[in-house]
Amino acid sequence: MSHRHARFDGRSTSIPWNCSSRIARPMKPIISQSLAAALANLPELADAVADLPVDSTIERTRDPGHGDFASNIAMRLAKPARMSPRDIATQIVEQLEDSAELDKVEIAGPGFINFYLSAAAYHAELASILDQGEAYGRQPARERPKILLEFVSANPTGPLHVGHGRHAAFGATVGNLLEASGYPVTREYYVNDAGRQMDILGLSVYLRWLESTGVAVDFPDGGYRGDYIRDIAATIDTSGASVADDLFTDPPDGDKDEIVDALIARTKTALGQECFGNIRQQALESIRADIEDDLEEFGVTFDRWFSEQSLTTEGRIDAALAALEKSGTVYERDGAKWFRATDFGDEKDRVVVRANGSKTYFASDIAYHFDKRERGFDHLIDILGADHHGYVIRVGGGLDAMGYSADDLEVKLVQFVALYRGGEKVQMSTRSGEFETLRELRAEVGNDAARFFYVSRGHDQHLDFDLDIAKSESNDNPVYYIQYAHARIASVFRQLGERSLEWDSDNGRASLSQLNEPQEKSLMTSLSRYPEVIELAANNRAPQHLVHYLRDLANDFHTYYNAHAFIVDDAGLRDARLLLIAATRVVIANGLAILGVSAPETM
RNA sequence: GCGCCCGUAGCUCAGUAGGAUAGAGCACCGGAUUCCUAAUCCGGGGGUCGCAGGUUCGAAUCCUGCCGGGCGCACCA
């Protein structure tokens, strides 16, 4: 039961990271490797340290008076080793080898080990940033685990709304973060193109077309009423469709659903299955293509648009059901086939095949996830709306039953988005005149601001999206604040040219020891944190860490900018300072690229 | 009723496998530009981390209960 619970927790489902295979060595491994080497010389601590990852004990210090990094390992080993924290710390520090990268190591407070990195270590990091460029902060590619990231997957019955925008931005950014961490990621959009709602779509389009031929149509409440339905009706190929002018002569009664179902049945009879199916497929493809265009404009692309229909036509649902039946977790009752979901922690068993022989949506879901694993993906990440949480245990249980593991499935539930304009919450009802589509939001605030704001909060937090701030081109807007730092750096280099000067980066590298201002130290520290931030954000599926980091980095740069001139007469100092801000530009650009936000040269 | 998520400054939110004195932005007050973009910077006030217990060297963080908000509990998709 506990592992099932753990799937809701981003930390415990995160993929362990591996620091042993780095090419260039960023800052944190300097500490963890020397610490590990010291521990290797202390066999008396071996048992205590066995299940304590050294990396987890190391963190950046908040207070520069505590050095650059601190480890609490001595305190955490105190109990299992039955020694005092300070004694342990003393033994560890005695075993630390001297290094050009470490200036000093101190034991402080209740038993922290504080590490002070040398200027040389920071200078090496700056050089590494420039050498690696776009690759800085990225881990080497690895083979496994192969990740399948499914997100958005909105039903193709209408345009994307602002809630889907959050899914798109979040999913795309998490995908970028995972790739930066070296994992092979495949992005997939599951198209719910089967089932009753597709018939309703087909009916809606047909009725609008019928209307356009002059037939009086009493459009049902249960149909899709949006204007886009009329547009589709006007553009699709309806040759061969007959004008069924008697659909409403004897109006069906019942509730909203019954009326729609009756109209669908009448229309199918009037047109024939094939003709109705043809209209339905055209409508579906029209909407799906529109969604794809919308997302592409938003910088969100998929490796595959996976059709739910294909699960049936390719026999994948039958394959999954066969796997289920083989496991003995399926039984019959009241003519239906049930999956014994309660064996896997669900509240009740679930129907997979109805008494009338049709498969449930749940059957498609487990078949789709079964198929993902069958295709060789090791780890499945689903980004779903918060209203889908009941589904997690069911599908995980299905994976368990079919011979895989519920632990292979990691579900991130994205909470809802509320729009604010002028301090007032924008009502999102379909009928209100206010916009609610993603396309309109992008048009109003721009792609950059939209991508940025969407990922500025964790997925499990409700998001209040303030349109006025997102639109403002002022210091209120953190997007512009970060982009402005990037543009300012580009501007400095343009200025250099206008003054007929050139940046000699080799001279800059040779002169880095001239960077002694507090703002320079602070900026170097922030830059060196970037790989750690990427790792953290990727492991926790938490793009907001990167957002906050970039804001802090931009702040460090702006502070430096205001405190010191870069283009100074002393060529060594000038080249060194230009190197520092060139590195800053690289890191800002890399971080913005992961967020899907542009890094402008001018503003 | 049961399950899941959330509750941190006036507002919007960070807070990393429990760590040292809880941080940003906005708003408010006061300052900085003969100089590389003032879309910038610096300083200041501002907190019962929802409440109450517990775990331990140490809790905003973990556990239990309560209060408040959101979402869900289909042979719908």
Side-chain angles (χ1 to χ4, degrees):
Chain A
M1 209 44 213
S2 60
H3 73 280
R4 207 172 299 285
H5 200 80
R7 277 184 288 128
F8 290 100
D9 179 352
R11 285 170 203 161
S12 49
T13 56
S14 65
I15 294 162
W17 29 288
N18 171 5
C19 294
S20 61
S21 61
R22 290 170 195 261
I23 297 169
R25 192 162 79 147
M27 288 270 169
K28 192 171 176 181
I30 294 174
I31 310 300
S32 52
Q33 287 171 16
S34 56
L35 202 50
L39 287 166
N41 291 332
L42 293 167
E44 60 271 35
L45 292 177
D47 287 345
V49 86
D51 50 352
L52 177 64
V54 170
D55 251 332
S56 76
T57 73
I58 300 166
E59 61 182 15
R60 291 274 176 174
T61 59
R62 205 172 324 176
D63 181 349
H66 296 143
D68 298 292
F69 287 88
S71 172
N72 61 13
I73 192 166
M75 279 122 78
R76 291 172 63 176
L77 291 178
K79 182 171 282 184
R82 296 167 175 274
M83 291 168 64
S84 84
R86 290 198 74 101
D87 286 348
I88 295 172
T90 304
Q91 289 193 22
I92 291 173
V93 170
E94 281 171 357
Q95 291 298 325
L96 286 171
E97 290 196 18
D98 285 341
S99 157
E101 293 160 317
L102 280 175
D103 269 351
K104 63 172 173 175
V105 180
E106 287 179 348
I107 300 169
F112 289 105
I113 304 174
N114 291 339
F115 295 85
Y116 294 75
L117 289 165
S118 68
Y122 281 103
H123 298 164
E125 190 70 7
L126 286 180
S128 174
I129 293 169
L130 290 175
D131 290 341
Q132 294 185 56
E134 290 179 2
Y136 180 70
R138 304 185 76 88
Q139 304 268 16
R142 41 189 133 196
E143 291 293 314
R144 293 197 172 268
K146 288 177 68 179
I147 296 174
L148 184 72
L149 177 64
E150 181 205 336
F151 61 112
V152 188
S153 298
N155 292 345
T157 55
L160 298 177
H161 57 67
V162 293
H164 298 127
R166 184 176 189 190
H167 286 244
F170 180 78
T173 305
V174 166
N176 290 343
L177 284 166
L178 290 169
E179 273 178 352
S181 291
Y183 297 103
V185 178
T186 297
R187 297 159 175 81
E188 212 159 273
Y189 185 122
Y190 181 61
V191 185
N192 291 117
D193 55 4
R196 177 172 173 265
Q197 62 173 352
M198 285 299 104
D199 282 343
I200 299 175
L201 175 67
L203 173 71
S204 302
V205 168
Y206 178 71
L207 291 180
R208 289 307 186 197
W209 175 79
L210 207 54
E211 220 170 36
S212 70
T213 64
V215 174
V217 166
D218 181 16
F219 200 89
D221 285 344
Y224 295 111
R225 308 189 68 103
D227 291 338
Y228 60 92
I229 297 292
R230 283 196 177 85
D231 298 339
I232 294 167
T235 50
I236 63 171
D237 176 9
T238 50
S239 58
S242 56
V243 178
D245 53 6
D246 57 348
L247 282 180
F248 297 95
T249 50
D250 176 23
D253 43 71
D255 65 22
K256 178 167 94 163
D257 288 332
E258 287 165 344
I259 291 172
V260 163
D261 287 339
L263 288 172
I264 289 169
R266 290 183 188 188
T267 306
K268 281 181 176 174
T269 304
L271 299 183
Q273 286 282 356
E274 191 179 338
C275 180
F276 181 78
N278 186 265
I279 289 173
R280 187 183 56 199
Q281 286 304 110
Q282 287 186 71
L284 152 70
E285 179 50 25
S286 167
I287 292 174
R288 195 208 59 77
D290 176 69
I291 289 172
E292 185 171 3
D293 287 346
D294 196 8
L295 289 172
E296 193 168 331
E297 286 172 21
F298 198 34
V300 178
T301 56
F302 292 86
D303 298 296
R304 180 166 179 185
W305 293 68
F306 193 101
S307 159
E308 182 186 358
Q309 286 176 10
S310 75
L311 288 172
T312 302
T313 57
E314 312 272 320
R316 303 307 299 159
I317 293 186
D318 292 337
L321 289 179
L324 268 192
E325 302 234 18
K326 196 174 158 194
S327 73
T329 56
V330 176
Y331 63 91
E332 290 201 28
R333 196 211 320 157
D334 302 333
K337 286 188 178 176
W338 296 70
F339 168 56
R340 205 181 301 279
T342 47
D343 283 0
F344 302 90
D346 203 353
E347 300 163 342
K348 53 170 77 170
D349 292 342
R350 307 288 169 175
V351 171
V352 288
V353 183
R354 298 185 187 94
N356 69 9
S358 64
K359 280 103 179 178
T360 62
Y361 189 75
F362 172 57
S364 300
D365 277 339
I366 55 175
Y368 179 40
H369 287 80
F370 179 68
D371 188 67
K372 288 177 180 176
R373 290 291 278 116
E374 294 278 290
R375 281 186 278 150
F377 294 102
D378 308 300
H379 189 70
L380 314 179
I381 301 178
D382 286 10
I383 292 168
L384 302 175
D387 51 339
H388 283 71
H389 65 74
Y391 152 119
V392 180
I393 289 203
R394 262 176 271 168
V395 176
L399 282 172
D400 272 336
M402 293 181 292
Y404 292 107
S405 167
D407 292 336
D408 301 335
L409 174 64
E410 172 187 348
V411 177
K412 290 287 168 261
L413 299 174
V414 178
Q415 296 291 331
F416 295 150
V417 178
L419 293 179
Y420 284 81
R421 175 185 279 124
E424 296 288 315
K425 189 168 180 175
V426 178
Q427 292 307 315
M428 301 248 251
S429 74
T430 323
R431 284 169 210 167
S432 82
E434 312 247 35
F435 76 66
E436 58 170 11
T437 68
L438 173 61
R439 198 171 251 123
E440 286 163 324
L441 175 80
R442 295 195 292 103
E444 179 165 353
V445 308
N447 285 330
D448 284 344
R451 288 288 298 258
F452 187 92
F453 278 82
Y454 270 136
V455 297
S456 64
R457 298 205 61 185
H459 65 85
D460 55 357
Q461 302 277 339
H462 294 271
L463 177 68
D464 290 330
F465 196 119
D466 190 319
L467 293 164
D468 300 315
I469 291 178
K471 268 191 301 189
S472 76
E473 299 189 5
S474 75
N475 50 3
D476 292 347
N477 194 329
V479 187
Y480 290 116
Y481 182 87
I482 295 164
Q483 290 180 318
Y484 181 45
H486 186 270
R488 255 186 161 176
I489 294 168
S491 173
V492 170
F493 282 93
R494 284 193 299 271
Q495 271 293 317
L496 195 67
E498 286 170 23
R499 297 188 195 183
S500 303
L501 292 168
E502 277 186 23
W503 173 43
D504 182 338
S505 67
D506 289 336
N507 189 41
R509 288 184 195 223
S511 309
L512 289 174
S513 58
Q514 293 189 53
L515 300 179
N516 294 311
E517 299 291 347
Q519 295 88 351
E520 290 164 341
K521 173 71 196 290
S522 173
L523 188 51
M524 283 190 267
T525 301
S526 289
L527 290 171
S528 72
R529 281 179 52 216
Y530 179 71
E532 296 155 35
V533 171
I534 295 300
E535 218 156 50
L536 175 72
N539 286 336
N540 292 348
R541 327 304 190 220
Q544 76 272 18
H545 289 305
L546 180 55
V547 168
H548 289 282
Y549 166 80
L550 288 173
R551 217 250 156 227
D552 289 344
L553 177 62
N555 184 2
D556 284 329
F557 169 74
H558 287 309
T559 298
Y560 183 33
Y561 184 98
N562 277 279
H564 301 286
F566 308 140
I567 305 177
V568 293
D569 291 338
D570 178 335
L573 182 61
R574 182 177 69 231
D575 288 334
R577 285 183 170 172
L578 290 172
L579 191 150
L580 177 55
I581 67 170
T584 305
R585 176 167 60 180
V586 167
V587 171
I588 291 176
N590 289 0
L592 288 177
I594 284 176
L595 296 180
V597 174
S598 68
E601 298 288 308
T602 60
M603 287 178 74

